[in-house]
Amino acid sequence: MTDDPDFHLMDERGRRIRKARTHGRKSIFMVPGDVDFVWLVSRLCIPREPSEGEQSKRGVLVGGVTFFDSRRSRNLTEHLAKAPLEGWDHVLGEGCRWTSGHARLPLTKRDSYAQGVLSIEILSNETYSLE
């Protein structure tokens, strides 16, 4: 068991994108310009206090997500929608959502093919399995 969720991204071609840095609860990633969506990948944990209807195992609890490209920044909120999304658990209602350990995050239309910066707020503080 470990406190490290081994949180990283995977692009649509299967390339691993490691964190560039961490700032408080925010994980910062440099995203290549040719990437339209990423997978949020982590180890799995068993919830300390599971709610009714939650999965028995889950990844990380994601709060705010911001994408910065060459011309602007924008908050990405699709993961907070009530609609089912691949790799996401149900929305908790507090502006956050658990992943299943492998969750798809669209980056929306990009302004250019320049490298972008993705900031993902991780709210969970769980113990993760090394398996």
Side-chain angles (χ1 to χ4, degrees), residues 45-51 54-58 98 126-127:
C45 68
I46 297 175
R48 292 180 190 164
E49 299 176 22
S51 301
E54 281 188 313
Q55 298 176 7
S56 60
K57 291 184 179 180
R58 57 190 182 194
W98 285 98
E126 301 285 335
T127 302

